[in-house]
Amino acid sequence: MIRINEESKQFHLTNGTISYIFHIMKNGQPGHLYYGKALRHQDDFSHFQTYENVAPNTTHPFEGDPGFSLETVKQEFPVYGKGDYREAAVLIEGEQGQLISDFEYTSYQVEKGKSALSGLPSSYAADDQAETLRIQMIDPFSKVEVELVYTIFSDDPVIARSCRIKNSGEETVQIKRLMSLSLDLPEADYDMLHLSGAWARERHLQRKRLSPGIHQVSSQRGASSHQQNPFLALKRTTATEQTGEVMGLHFVYSGNFVAQAEVDHYDTTRLQMGIHPTRFEWNLSPEDSFQSPEVLLTYSDQGLNGLSQAAHRLIHDHLIAKRWVKKERPVLINNWEATYFDFNEQKLDKFAAEAKELGIELFVLDDGWFGKRNDDTTSLGDWFVDKEKLPNGIGALAEKVKAKGLQFGLWFEPEMISPESELIEQHPEWVVGMPDRPHTLGRNQLVLDFSNPEVVDYLFERMSSIIEETKLDYIKWDMNRNITEPFSKTGTAPGEFFHRYLLGVYELYDRLTTNYPDVLFESCAGGGGRFDLGMMYYAPQAWASDDTDAVERLKIQYGTSIAYPLSTIGSHVSAVPNHQTLRETALKFRADVAYFGTFGYELDPSQLTEEEKAEVKKQIKTYKQVQPLIQSGTFYRLSSPFDQSETAWMLWDEEKREGVVGWYKPIFYPNPKNNQTLKLRGLSESASYEVAGLNRTFYGDELMQRGLPLGIEFNGANTGSIDRGGDQQSHVYFIKEL
Ligand code: GLA
């Protein structure tokens, strides 16, 4: 998959679907030649590097060659201070404060497969699934070395990129900026798509046309954030959901990040993604190395939906831990919105018994089971059971729950500490912030210094002991505030703090998932505040949002599906009026939305009427039919809640030739269009299909071209013949090829 023109030092990474081509330019730096749909290999691609547009008085030609200026050539790893005034991929400060670097190519290696990145989550591939190219360079003055790493996957239109810096010089240097990916595209006719939001409305799809200047999404919160997701796509302005060129960047990282597209004065686009350079200053002593996190670069010529499908496949096959990919996730019930902090053993026992009766498989005890935590002001860090609430201990409760045939799960917020806790008295030095300055509270809590290995050890010991005592099946790992006063009391350099904090989080995740591989982790950060591939490497599912309102969830889940597979999206049915919006929605509507994710309930079963209980039992059976499709099916978005009044999507399993469609209309409007149908995708034109509940069969071409009939809608006059009407209409259709 990696073809090399030795003499001209041209590297062509291709798997028949995509091509990524670059070469070593005459100044020794790597120059970009092509990225996109696969090209036939040629013995010489040098004509791909164009040198037009060089205006001699504003550019700085290399060795007097007016045709060669860093300002105009397309590059793979641009440096600062040599005549390219766009953003550099790297800034390294020497002892005199200079930021000038000049990396020259020295060698390359090709390897089968893909190796892990030390200390960091990353995609994985067996020897026959990928090939990796390493390009080595050195700055001949500072003797700082760079290794650019490219992996191409054999069956996926994806390139993984990362880099490593090594200080082979004699002076300590400081890395001030290091992009994991920098890619120069020859054009700028793109729309930039990103997923933005806030608490309770995460990952709404945003679109803007590129224009000269820098278009950026980022986080400096110490977490990837509710506000901006570490994902960005560039879509040709003519591309649609189903057609045309789109490329996407995912960052396999959960902390401060930047993702940006910079359009220059020649209408070329520089795409970059990496750790946010603000407040990042990494000291590199002689012989030390720094590993960047990884970026996954995905390409599709089948529109945004094609890009999502490729990303979903890659995340399933090469990022989520293998043991979870095909394993069906348990239908869970979480007591948070049912009880908040107000529970005891008897209440939980009854809760679990009723849940079991409904067909639920996993009972998750949320916040409030430890320390003296009766509200959110105390006890984070004191991971010892609260004997007032659970006098027989957490092990005894787990045993009772398991005796009913349920799995047992617990909520933890390992990274946090309450100002009122035993832990803070024992270890005030473990709190993030400066000793002699006030510490800003968030949700009444402070942050533990995960850059300190003692903190990680303490939590590993505490969590292991509870996992073993309860024979725990599941952990919801929460993180309810962002970092303020980023400062370690134990000597971590301030510019290294954010990254070292995250390395500590990954270390704890790594130790727990290695020692307890059967415990299913669900990540959470006040809902979806850390919904990223760094987390998914350890925790295959994530609580998508604290907002469980089904109408709001349409946008949250639709937006999330652009970058992440449905198997990662925690989606539950909650009580009404909804606790985040006070909206009332029908139980059917809530479940029809929640089916398209990892399903569960967030309510008190004893508050359900007999009729509702019967409905919940049916819902769980229905989910059992949807679930295999979530893990093995291909997802098609059919109608967007961001553009249309109806939302629709479908999952289709090409091998089993069956699928499921979800269709939703939250608000009725009078005198609607008649002959309403929903055009499906992914079927075979000439095959016949049965749609459960509709008493005739359909050809694939009919379902895709004319559409699935949605039934007659109330129009104010047709009262005798209507199939549906009113607000919150929804339908889930199961489809099978005959
Ligand atoms: C966060 C989570 C909720 C719940 C509470 C508990 O807000 O997102 O699901 O676990 O914390 O305090």
Side-chain angles (χ1 to χ4, degrees):
M1 284 184 283
I2 297 175
R3 304 191 64 173
I4 297 159
N5 294 338
E6 277 295 343
E7 209 156 302
S8 50
K9 288 284 171 296
Q10 294 170 356
F11 302 88
H12 181 190
L13 287 70
T14 184
N15 56 13
T17 309
I18 52 165
S19 281
Y20 190 112
I21 309 171
F22 65 97
H23 69 154
I24 305 303
M25 304 187 293
K26 67 178 190 181
N27 67 346
Q29 291 179 14
H32 182 74
L33 294 175
Y34 175 84
Y35 170 59
K37 197 174 171 141
L39 296 181
R40 239 169 290 273
H41 185 70
Q42 300 181 27
D43 293 336
D44 185 15
F45 285 112
S46 51
H47 57 290
F48 282 26
Q49 182 66 281
T50 47
Y51 299 106
E52 68 262 59
N53 274 328
V54 178
N57 23 349
T58 59
T59 58
H60 304 81
F62 174 71
E63 288 181 353
D65 175 353
F68 187 86
S69 162
L70 289 177
E71 181 149 0
T72 55
V73 290
K74 282 148 212 77
Q75 300 170 59
E76 287 292 298
F77 194 67
V79 295
Y80 171 76
K82 301 291 291 180
D84 180 355
Y85 296 95
R86 293 166 287 180
E87 292 276 355
V90 64
L91 282 180
I92 293 180
E93 189 177 274
E95 278 189 345
Q96 297 169 60
Q98 77 278 21
L99 289 166
I100 306 146
S101 302
D102 205 356
F103 295 106
E104 289 176 10
Y105 167 85
T106 53
S107 57
Y108 77 86
Q109 287 100 41
V110 174
E111 289 158 17
K112 286 198 169 129
K114 180 171 190 302
S115 9
L117 304 187
S118 107
L120 285 167
S122 60
S123 58
Y124 59 83
D127 282 1
D128 58 348
Q129 295 175 322
E131 243 171 57
T132 298
L133 169 66
R134 296 174 185 277
I135 300 286
Q136 280 93 20
M137 307 188 287
I138 190 164
D139 180 327
F141 298 90
S142 64
K143 301 278 187 287
V144 171
E145 292 177 50
V146 173
E147 182 172 72
L148 303 180
V149 184
Y150 300 77
T151 296
I152 179 162
F153 294 85
S154 52
D155 294 333
D156 301 278
V158 181
I159 306 261
R161 279 190 61 176
S162 63
C163 55
R164 200 177 169 81
I165 308 267
K166 184 176 176 207
N167 185 359
S168 298
E170 277 154 25
E171 294 179 353
T172 294
V173 298
Q174 199 174 57
I175 308 172
K176 290 188 159 311
R177 177 186 178 89
L178 181 62
M179 293 296 107
S180 298
L181 167 141
S182 184
L183 171 62
D184 285 352
L185 301 164
E187 286 134 359
D189 62 327
Y190 294 105
D191 287 332
M192 172 167 143
L193 308 181
H194 53 102
L195 304 172
S196 303
W199 172 79
R201 53 179 167 81
E202 294 90 340
R203 292 174 303 286
H204 283 207
L205 176 62
Q206 304 293 332
R207 248 169 294 205
K208 56 173 160 263
R209 181 69 53 96
L210 288 190
S211 60
I214 295 177
H215 305 258
Q216 184 186 86
V217 287
S218 66
S219 168
Q220 295 185 47
R221 294 174 170 264
S224 51
S225 89
H226 295 88
Q227 286 73 14
Q228 305 287 1
N229 191 264
F231 167 81
L232 178 156
L234 289 188
K235 166 183 115 25
R236 289 284 184 192
T237 52
T238 50
T240 67
E241 182 68 20
Q242 313 293 349
T243 62
E245 274 195 309
V246 189
M247 62 187 84
L249 298 181
H250 286 79
F251 203 19
V252 190
Y253 192 64
S254 313
N256 294 352
F257 76 93
V258 67
Q260 68 183 40
E262 176 177 8
V263 176
D264 72 359
H265 47 299
Y266 295 121
D267 260 355
T268 67
T269 305
R270 174 165 290 173
L271 205 49
Q272 293 189 328
M273 190 177 239
I275 292 179
H276 202 299
T278 303
R279 279 166 284 285
F280 172 76
E281 288 169 336
W282 196 271
N283 299 306
L284 211 56
S285 319
E287 291 311 305
D288 267 6
S289 299
F290 180 82
Q291 173 65 58
S292 87
E294 177 171 291
V295 168
L296 298 173
L297 171 64
T298 306
Y299 173 86
S300 172
D301 62 355
Q302 318 254 311
L304 187 57
N305 210 124
L307 182 89
S308 301
Q309 291 175 352
H312 294 181
R313 252 192 333 267
L314 194 278
I315 294 166
H316 273 170
D317 295 345
H318 298 287
L319 189 107
I320 288 174
K322 271 205 183 75
R323 61 189 181 281
W324 295 113
V325 175
K326 287 273 147 67
K327 185 150 177 177
E328 290 189 5
R329 315 282 170 75
V331 173
L332 70 82
I333 191 160
N334 179 304
N335 72 311
W336 177 240
E337 290 193 358
T339 67
Y340 293 104
F341 296 101
D342 180 18
F343 57 80
N344 56 34
E345 191 176 312
Q346 212 182 351
K347 197 164 171 183
L348 295 180
D349 191 45
K350 184 161 167 272
F351 187 94
E354 294 193 61
K356 174 66 190 170
E357 190 57 28
L358 297 173
I360 283 160
E361 296 160 317
L362 161 67
F363 166 57
V364 181
L365 175 55
D366 208 278
D367 195 355
W369 58 268
F370 51 89
K372 298 187 183 80
R373 192 154 161 95
N374 296 316
D375 58 35
D376 65 13
T377 60
T378 74
S379 305
L380 291 169
D382 298 344
W383 300 105
F384 297 90
V385 72
D386 177 356
K387 288 265 173 114
E388 297 265 308
K389 286 181 191 162
L390 305 170
N392 299 308
I394 194 74
L397 176 72
E399 212 171 289
K400 273 192 167 174
V401 169
K402 287 181 175 236
K404 298 184 202 324
L406 285 166
Q407 296 178 29
F408 184 60
L410 277 177
W411 179 94
F412 285 90
E413 200 177 356
E415 296 153 78
M416 297 296 152
I417 183 161
S418 299
E420 196 186 317
S421 62
E422 285 175 18
L423 188 65
I424 212 163
E425 280 167 29
Q426 289 156 17
H427 288 291
E429 79 286 5
W430 283 4
V431 179
V432 171
M434 292 185 78
D436 47 356
R437 279 179 181 264
H439 293 54
T440 303
L441 291 176
R443 207 203 187 199
N444 300 309
Q445 63 201 48
L446 297 166
V447 183
L448 277 172
D449 179 4
F450 264 60
S451 74
N452 178 356
E454 278 179 28
V455 172
V456 174
D457 286 346
Y458 171 78
L459 284 151
F460 178 68
E461 183 283 315
R462 270 298 73 224
M463 291 174 81
S464 300
S465 136
I466 287 163
I467 292 171
E468 285 173 24
E469 185 183 347
T470 53
K471 302 195 176 54
L472 205 56
D473 298 297
Y474 164 105
I475 287 178
K476 177 175 171 186
W477 176 325
D478 208 340
M479 194 245 190
N480 272 306
R481 61 158 291 177
N482 293 142
I483 294 174
T484 52
E485 293 96 18
F487 186 86
S488 166
K489 298 183 175 71
T490 48
T492 305
E496 298 181 8
F497 173 76
F498 278 114
H499 185 61
R500 287 203 189 275
Y501 174 92
L502 212 61
L503 293 178
V505 171
Y506 290 146
E507 160 85 16
L508 182 58
Y509 253 121
D510 188 52
R511 284 165 71 179
L512 289 170
T513 51
T514 308
N515 281 276
Y516 306 102
D518 297 329
V519 177
L520 171 63
F521 282 77
E522 176 150 357
S523 77
C524 175
R530 211 161 55 176
F531 204 103
D532 58 64
L533 293 187
M535 285 290 126
M536 279 164 208
Y537 178 78
Y538 304 101
Q541 57 196 61
W543 185 222
S545 177
D546 274 351
D547 192 342
T548 51
D549 178 292
V551 176
E552 295 302 306
R553 275 292 183 131
L554 289 172
K555 282 189 175 156
I556 295 169
Q557 293 177 204
Y558 188 98
T560 305
S561 82
I562 288 166
Y564 305 98
L566 268 53
S567 68
T568 64
I569 303 176
S571 56
H572 302 169
V573 174
S574 60
V576 289
N578 177 272
H579 293 203
Q580 293 75 40
T581 61
L582 299 181
R583 186 181 282 134
E584 303 250 2
T585 48
L587 184 53
K588 174 181 180 331
F589 189 81
R590 281 174 267 157
D592 283 352
V593 176
Y595 290 145
F596 290 82
T598 55
F599 187 70
Y601 290 83
E602 197 95 4
L603 46 70
D604 182 353
S606 70
Q607 299 297 306
L608 298 170
T609 63
E610 287 309 310
E611 213 178 301
E612 287 169 332
K613 283 185 183 166
E615 197 175 335
V616 166
K617 284 183 190 170
K618 271 216 236 135
Q619 290 175 351
I620 294 173
K621 290 206 178 98
T622 304
Y623 183 63
K624 290 286 160 188
Q625 276 177 275
V626 179
Q627 187 170 44
L629 294 160
I630 286 181
Q631 279 162 312
S632 64
T634 303
F635 187 61
Y636 294 87
R637 288 182 297 269
L638 304 175
S639 180
S640 165
F642 298 105
D643 303 324
Q644 266 117 12
S645 55
E646 295 168 33
T647 301
W649 47 48
M650 71 180 275
L651 280 158
W652 183 251
D653 186 323
E654 189 55 28
E655 252 169 56
K656 294 197 198 118
R657 313 235 135 230
E658 57 184 49
V660 60
V661 177
W663 171 85
Y664 316 88
K665 179 168 181 171
I667 307 266
F668 174 80
Y669 49 93
N671 210 357
K673 63 183 177 190
N674 53 32
N675 201 12
Q676 293 174 30
T677 57
L678 173 66
K679 294 187 176 69
L680 306 189
R681 300 197 57 87
L683 309 176
S684 315
E685 292 193 346
S686 58
S688 298
Y689 295 90
E690 168 191 279
V691 181
L694 302 186
N695 47 13
R696 48 161 293 222
T697 60
F698 301 86
Y699 282 119
D701 53 4
E702 176 183 344
L703 290 175
M704 293 192 292
Q705 304 308 325
R706 179 173 183 275
L708 175 72
L710 294 170
I712 298 166
E713 190 173 18
F714 178 65
N715 67 8
N718 60 352
T719 42
S721 57
I722 60 159
D723 299 304
R724 59 196 173 92
D727 288 349
Q728 295 164 28
Q729 298 176 39
S730 65
H731 206 95
V732 168
Y733 300 90
F734 286 92
I735 301 187
K736 243 196 177 104
E737 189 174 312
L738 291 171

